[in-house]
Amino acid sequence: MWTHIISLRREDAARLGYDSAAQWMALLRSKRAMLCKHMKIDSANLRWYAAFHNESYHPHVHLMVYSAKDREGYLTKQSIEAMRSELAHDIFRQDFANIYEKQTQSHADLKLQSAEVIRKWLNEIKVGTFQSPEIEMTMLELSKRLQHTGGKKVYGYLKRDVKDLVDHIIDELGKDSRVSALYQEWGLWQKEIILTYKQQTEELPPLSKQPKLKSIRNMVIAEALKLGSHHILFEEEETGLEAADDWTEQEPERIEKMTEEEDTDSEHVEEEIRRASFYLDKKGTSGSNWWTDGYKQARNYLYGSDSVLQDFEKAYQRFLQEAEQGNGFAMQDLGRMLADGLGRDIDMTLAQECYRKALEAFHTEEMSVKGRQKPYLQYRIGKMYASGLGTEQNNEQAAYWFSQAAEANHKYAQYSLAGLYRRGRGVEQNDIRAFSLYRSSANQGNPYASLELAKMYRDGLGTKQDPKLAERRFQDAYSGFVILEEKSHDDKLQYRIGQMLHTGTGTEADDKRAAEYWEKSAKLGNTNAQYALGKL
């Protein structure tokens, strides 16, 4: 038999109506299920009696509970705590309404601020200005693990080691001053609630151990999944100058992995793609002749230039004409326009068909050509395997093709292969090898490689820590990005340069100039730049 005493202060009992036996009886009768649950007694066997004492200072009831069945039922400290909490929430329902409203707002503010900090981290990871290698590696590892996790991707369903990665990120998140302040504010409201049924409260646990804030854990998981879907490994979006015989033209790659499939009812577009695909089934022209005047003009329309206004419709028609002549590059660009909805309705099925034909053309051409064109095509093939364009995503195949091109000193292949070694994708993780490849690429003027090299010097990864060399490489990266942006007017480069100016990475901190770059990027629809500008 268990005995409980439920007691209130006189002023609370009078104010809330608990100064009469009838009110207590109604309360306790409504709590039959609670007693069964927390005292582990079957409802058919539950027995209870209560007596009300209207004491002057503390009106209270004595409650006696037992089971009609021998040896049934038991009670733990946690169950006592749970019953006190439930009774307090019922008795003080009206008082709690105001507290709950304020606590709910604190929770919403905390979640919003946490999401803002996480997104800021992700943006800095993308542009290479993030200052914590430990958090960066944890975020990337969590993203990688989530990509290979089946079932629901919510905290409660994850394996313990993946939960540990989430907890570590949340603990680092809790060190942010704004997040910490909002968590403390939430904790004050929680403390006020607890003090209605306890004489003292425990210290606020770390954010990752707070069971009442599970939504923040799942928010971190959702953001980590976004990190994986954007293929940060291949973030360079090459806008450099490729020198491959007569291919000495600007080469913006801008390839992103497709994340969804949509269908279109446009028979006209479908017929155009079939027509272009038919021509790629033929032998086609030589890859060394793919960089034609018509193809250059199509790319000018696609990206815009100082002398040509951006025009997606004209770009699409010119790419079609080039594809009809067997131009593999044009077919790949058609795939990109269909995948990203550039002047067309998004159609992932047709986009993948374009990519598949382009990949076939690249493979055919790679076997037949020699000289500078060969490593360039090998690099292109590696990119398509890495991003799953026209084929299943395959890091092992990507590593093979990048290695072929890297041996011929192709700077972008070296950069991409270094990324695979850095993160252990398709190859065994090896920071020393990654450092060597990044250095070879950077020494050929690839600013993206300079940025990664700077971070490795800064953090002592694959080499000894060297702040001076890190700063020099950061400066190389910044200067290189500025030169590339002048030639490409690419919104992602504009955002990246603005971020480096804002954080003073590789250059003097200058928010005025950062705003100028972000403004240009924002006008081109870059959501990261729009957000950064609004924050500024």
Side-chain angles (χ1 to χ4, degrees):
M1 181 177 289
W2 290 270
T3 61
H4 305 284
I5 300 175
I6 308 168
S7 175
L8 298 178
R9 290 188 291 265
R10 165 58 64 182
E11 57 270 27
D12 289 332
R15 179 170 57 86
L16 300 170
Y18 285 93
D19 52 1
S20 71
Q23 187 80 349
W24 283 104
M25 186 182 296
L27 173 68
L28 293 175
R29 281 176 170 167
S30 73
K31 293 302 172 185
R32 182 182 181 88
M34 178 195 78
L35 296 172
C36 291
K37 174 184 176 182
H38 293 296
M39 301 188 70
K40 309 297 186 295
I41 298 174
D42 187 274
S43 60
N45 301 325
L46 181 74
R47 304 290 186 270
W48 65 271
Y49 293 87
F52 170 60
H53 292 168
N54 196 13
E55 295 286 345
S56 58
Y57 294 110
H58 56 104
H60 62 275
V61 292
H62 293 267
L63 175 66
M64 300 168 62
V65 184
Y66 65 96
S67 172
K69 182 179 179 180
D70 286 347
R71 303 187 180 223
E72 181 185 49
Y74 65 92
L75 187 59
T76 64
K77 289 182 178 180
Q78 290 80 7
S79 294
I80 293 172
E81 189 71 19
M83 289 194 292
R84 291 174 67 162
S85 174
E86 186 170 331
L87 287 165
H89 280 73
D90 261 42
I91 295 169
F92 292 96
R93 184 184 296 109
Q94 296 302 319
D95 290 4
F96 281 0
N98 184 49
I99 298 175
Y100 287 148
E101 182 180 351
K102 292 178 179 177
Q103 189 186 40
T104 298
Q105 185 59 52
S106 290
H107 185 189
D109 291 343
L110 175 60
K111 187 176 178 182
L112 185 66
Q113 184 60 51
S114 297
E116 184 175 313
V117 173
I118 289 289
R119 286 168 192 153
K120 178 175 178 288
W121 287 356
L122 294 184
N123 285 336
E124 290 180 1
I125 289 171
K126 290 175 187 177
V127 300
T129 58
F130 195 50
Q131 295 298 312
S132 173
E134 182 187 1
I135 299 177
E136 179 176 349
M137 290 305 296
T138 305
M139 287 291 293
L140 291 169
E141 179 62 23
L142 175 61
S143 176
K144 179 181 176 181
R145 291 296 303 276
L146 290 171
Q147 302 303 320
H148 295 89
T149 296
K152 292 185 178 180
K153 292 183 174 60
V154 294
Y155 187 86
Y157 287 84
L158 300 179
K159 293 180 180 178
R160 182 66 262 173
D161 57 336
V162 183
K163 288 180 178 179
D164 289 342
L165 292 172
V166 176
D167 291 345
H168 180 61
I169 292 167
I170 293 176
D171 284 336
E172 292 299 319
L173 184 64
K175 295 176 184 178
D176 180 87
S177 59
R178 295 160 297 176
V179 171
S180 177
L182 287 168
Y183 181 40
Q184 293 298 321
E185 180 184 308
W186 179 91
L188 290 175
W189 294 117
Q190 183 67 13
K191 181 178 180 181
E192 190 167 335
I193 291 170
I194 293 172
L195 285 175
T196 60
Y197 59 90
K198 291 181 70 175
Q199 291 183 331
Q200 59 185 17
T201 62
E202 298 176 355
E203 287 188 15
L204 204 61
L207 187 57
S208 67
K209 305 300 181 186
Q210 178 53 258
K212 296 182 181 295
L213 297 176
K214 293 179 181 177
S215 61
I216 293 178
R217 299 172 182 172
N218 290 324
M219 178 273 295
V220 168
I221 291 168
E223 293 300 326
L225 281 168
K226 293 178 185 177
L227 179 63
S229 69
H230 283 84
H231 281 266
I232 303 305
L233 174 59
F234 302 101
E235 66 183 358
E236 72 275 18
E237 299 147 13
E238 289 77 30
T239 50
L241 296 182
E242 280 298 317
D245 294 342
D246 59 334
W247 295 358
T248 54
E249 298 292 339
Q250 187 179 329
E251 176 51 25
E253 278 269 294
R254 298 179 178 90
I255 296 176
E256 295 179 0
K257 179 173 172 61
M258 287 83 74
T259 56
E260 58 182 313
E261 291 189 0
E262 298 183 28
D263 294 321
T264 178
D265 296 325
S266 174
E267 295 180 3
H268 174 64
V269 173
E270 205 164 311
E271 178 56 35
E272 287 177 327
I273 298 300
R274 287 199 200 97
R275 181 159 54 94
S277 297
F278 168 76
Y279 280 96
L280 267 185
D281 286 331
K282 297 181 177 182
K283 183 178 180 181
T285 57
S286 169
S288 60
N289 295 324
W290 285 350
W291 204 278
T292 63
D293 289 341
Y295 179 68
K296 296 174 193 174
Q297 189 175 39
R299 291 182 71 84
N300 281 335
Y301 282 129
L302 178 59
Y303 299 116
S305 67
D306 291 335
S307 58
V308 178
L309 290 176
Q310 192 175 52
D311 190 323
F312 290 142
E313 183 57 36
K314 288 183 179 179
Y316 188 82
Q317 294 303 325
R318 294 295 170 89
F319 282 137
L320 271 179
Q321 293 170 11
E322 288 295 311
E324 289 174 355
Q325 302 304 314
N327 189 324
F329 294 159
M331 186 57 76
Q332 186 178 28
D333 285 315
L334 283 173
R336 190 252 169 151
M337 294 190 76
L338 287 163
D340 292 353
L342 302 178
R344 333 293 301 169
D345 291 334
I346 290 177
D347 190 324
M348 301 308 299
T349 301
L350 291 179
Q352 278 287 40
E353 178 63 14
C354 287
Y355 286 136
R356 187 182 68 81
K357 292 293 185 180
L359 183 57
E360 286 179 6
F362 292 162
H363 272 299
T364 301
E365 199 61 33
E366 189 273 338
M367 289 188 290
S368 63
V369 301
K370 296 180 180 180
R372 295 291 296 277
Q373 294 96 328
K374 196 175 186 74
Y376 178 74
L377 285 165
Q378 291 167 339
Y379 163 71
R380 280 262 193 159
I381 293 169
K383 287 284 288 185
M384 297 190 80
Y385 279 112
S387 297
L389 302 179
T391 183
E392 290 292 323
Q393 197 269 344
N394 189 321
N395 283 329
E396 288 77 13
Q397 280 291 309
Y400 169 79
W401 288 105
F402 287 148
S403 296
Q404 298 296 306
E407 288 177 6
N409 218 29
H410 189 282
K411 62 183 178 183
Y412 289 125
Q414 290 170 337
Y415 172 87
S416 296
L417 184 60
L420 291 175
Y421 275 109
R422 179 75 186 87
R423 294 170 177 86
R425 294 181 180 174
V427 292
E428 188 174 346
Q429 201 277 337
N430 189 328
D431 281 339
I432 295 175
R433 178 70 173 138
F435 176 84
S436 175
L437 287 163
Y438 279 138
R439 183 170 57 187
S440 296
S441 181
N443 288 342
Q444 294 184 74
N446 180 359
Y448 296 94
S450 294
L451 182 66
E452 295 303 318
L453 198 60
K455 291 193 288 184
M456 296 189 82
Y457 274 125
R458 181 194 66 193
D459 304 330
L461 297 172
T463 186
K464 291 182 179 179
Q465 252 185 332
D466 194 325
K468 290 184 178 179
L469 280 176
E471 180 57 29
R472 194 182 85 187
R473 290 296 185 173
F474 275 128
Q475 292 171 359
D476 291 344
Y478 174 79
S479 301
F481 291 145
V482 170
I483 293 170
L484 292 183
E485 191 280 328
E486 290 173 352
K487 297 172 181 176
S488 69
H489 307 296
D490 179 69
D491 63 288
K492 296 181 182 68
L493 270 175
Q494 290 162 349
Y495 168 71
R496 185 188 293 268
I497 293 167
Q499 188 71 13
M500 294 182 80
L501 283 164
H502 177 61
T503 57
T505 303
T507 183
E508 292 292 325
D510 189 336
D511 276 344
K512 183 177 179 181
R513 290 187 63 210
E516 291 172 358
Y517 278 102
W518 282 341
E519 185 77 35
K520 290 191 288 186
S521 180
K523 286 180 179 178
L524 293 174
N526 188 300
T527 54
N528 287 330
Q530 292 165 352
Y531 179 77
L533 197 59
K535 287 291 292 181
L536 191 62

